[in-house]
Amino acid sequence: MVTSTSQGSILVPIANPETADQLVSTAVDLATDTGRPLDLLTVIRVPEQLPLSEGERLVSNERETLNYATKLVSDQAVEVTSRIRFARSIASGILSVANERDIDTILMGWRGRPRRRDIILGSHLDHVLREAPCDVLVKRMDDNEDIQRILLPVAGGPNTELAASMAGSLARVHDAEIHVIIVNIPTESETVRNERETTLENVIAGFTGVPVITQETVESDSVSETIIEQSKTVDLVVLGATSEDLFRRSVIGSLPEQVGRQSESSVLMVKANQNLPSRLARLASRIRRKASLARR
């Protein structure tokens, strides 16, 4: 059974009113399937020359945007809280809430703008992806939010399980088909191919409650070009981050980044938290919280 094992909140930073609908919609879908609460957040950046206590003076339309996002959830059977955080940077505000609260997943939006030399996805996104004490999901927005077919490329690695879990949640909520593919490079060894086939079989066997699941093995010289081409026939691509390089120049991996920029559908890139101490700390915090509630 492919479901999320996390029971903490989904943190959704809200900044742009133009994308709030799409981001909150995805968050509600995931929360509905997994039974998790939502924590909506707006971060107000306070310049160094001002004390954080003066941050309230800088609030303008942000509160209105946050209230709008909260109202989007009001008719859903999902527990939701909203908050404004004053911080020296957007990323530090998001990370401080993630560390203080019972947060297991951060969902952030991305417009897929052209890459700068020193920034991968965006300064805030890069920082959060590197430092978050939890799973991080990055959704590249698309105007079409009617999800009927989801593409799930499977290559193995630490983010495969999380990607499959997210695809399964969205497929169940939308009654959508999942098309699972693996891409084999002609020069690869038989061992690598067999390992990938085993991963594919495990992913397929793990789904439950998904109405239609199809699978395909593709021979291609380019994994990214194959995924981008297949994105023309789906509404959403869900794929895991690939390994970072030695110097941590990459925060999500070149493959997801390329697919995220060039896909013709929406893209949900996922990066699982691999920091065992932080996961254990969140688990201990959750146990203490439940014990405290039981004593009331």
Side-chain angles (χ1 to χ4, degrees):
M1 179 177 180
V2 178
T3 57
S4 173
T5 57
S6 301
Q7 295 301 319
S9 299
I10 301 173
L11 178 64
V12 188
I14 302 293
N16 188 345
E18 296 180 1
T19 59
D21 298 65
Q22 298 177 44
L23 200 59
V24 171
S25 175
T26 298
V28 168
D29 289 342
L30 298 175
T32 298
D33 185 69
T34 60
R36 290 189 283 171
L38 295 182
D39 202 325
L40 306 184
L41 169 70
T42 289
V43 178
I44 305 296
R45 190 181 71 83
V46 181
E48 292 288 345
Q49 61 268 29
L50 293 178
L52 291 176
S53 58
E54 295 293 313
E56 189 66 40
R57 294 192 301 155
L58 303 175
V59 178
S60 55
N61 297 326
E62 291 86 358
R63 195 181 301 279
E64 181 179 337
T65 300
L66 184 60
N67 289 339
Y68 169 72
T70 304
K71 288 180 181 178
L72 294 174
V73 192
S74 61
D75 62 343
Q76 305 290 330
V78 173
E79 178 186 345
V80 59
T81 58
S82 61
R83 71 189 71 248
I84 290 179
R85 173 61 58 97
F86 303 111
R88 297 305 182 192
S89 71
I90 303 299
S92 65
I94 295 170
L95 292 170
S96 66
V97 173
N99 280 293
E100 295 167 9
R101 301 280 297 173
D102 188 17
I103 303 297
D104 277 327
T105 303
I106 300 174
L107 171 63
M108 302 181 70
W110 179 47
R111 298 299 294 179
R113 293 184 175 88
R115 178 176 177 178
R116 286 169 43 188
R117 181 178 62 84
D118 56 338
I119 296 175
I120 310 300
L121 302 184
S123 57
H124 311 321
L125 282 169
D126 290 2
H127 192 172
V128 172
L129 280 162
R130 285 194 176 101
E131 303 297 334
C134 58
D135 299 339
V136 180
L137 316 178
V138 177
K139 184 177 183 185
R140 200 215 69 189
M141 303 299 184
D142 184 80
D143 293 336
N144 177 27
E145 288 302 303
D146 181 21
I147 301 177
Q148 298 182 1
R149 194 164 190 256
I150 299 170
L151 178 65
L152 177 65
V154 170
N159 297 295
T160 297
E161 183 178 353
L162 180 61
S165 176
M166 298 300 100
S169 286
L170 294 170
R172 284 188 288 269
V173 170
H174 287 271
D175 200 29
E177 170 192 346
I178 296 180
H179 183 55
V180 189
I181 67 167
I182 59 174
V183 182
N184 289 328
I185 305 298
T187 56
E188 286 178 321
S189 69
E190 195 66 26
T191 299
V192 171
R193 290 169 176 252
N194 291 338
E195 290 175 351
R196 195 175 291 125
E197 288 285 353
T198 299
T199 300
L200 174 65
E201 293 171 2
N202 291 338
V203 167
I204 296 293
F207 285 121
T208 182
V210 177
V212 180
I213 303 170
T214 56
Q215 65 184 79
E216 180 182 6
T217 299
V218 180
E219 293 283 336
S220 174
D221 291 321
S222 173
V223 177
S224 59
E225 289 180 7
T226 299
I227 297 172
I228 292 166
E229 179 64 27
Q230 293 219 7
S231 73
K232 298 176 181 178
T233 65
V234 302
D235 305 298
L236 175 69
V237 178
V238 181
L239 73 167
T242 53
S243 300
E244 297 177 353
D245 66 26
L246 180 62
F247 299 102
R248 295 174 63 86
R249 294 191 184 95
S250 174
V251 293
I252 198 80
S254 59
L255 172 62
E257 182 192 343
Q258 184 177 354
V259 172
R261 294 186 187 281
Q262 300 181 29
S263 171
E264 297 198 18
S265 67
S266 294
V267 179
L268 185 66
M269 298 173 281
V270 312
K271 185 176 183 182
N273 176 35
Q274 302 299 318
N275 188 334
L276 182 59
S278 70
R279 299 179 73 161
L280 293 175
R282 291 202 317 278
L283 177 60
S285 174
R286 192 172 306 136
I287 293 172
R288 289 194 297 269
R289 183 180 176 188
K290 290 181 178 179
S292 176
L293 290 173
R295 289 194 297 268
R296 293 180 182 177

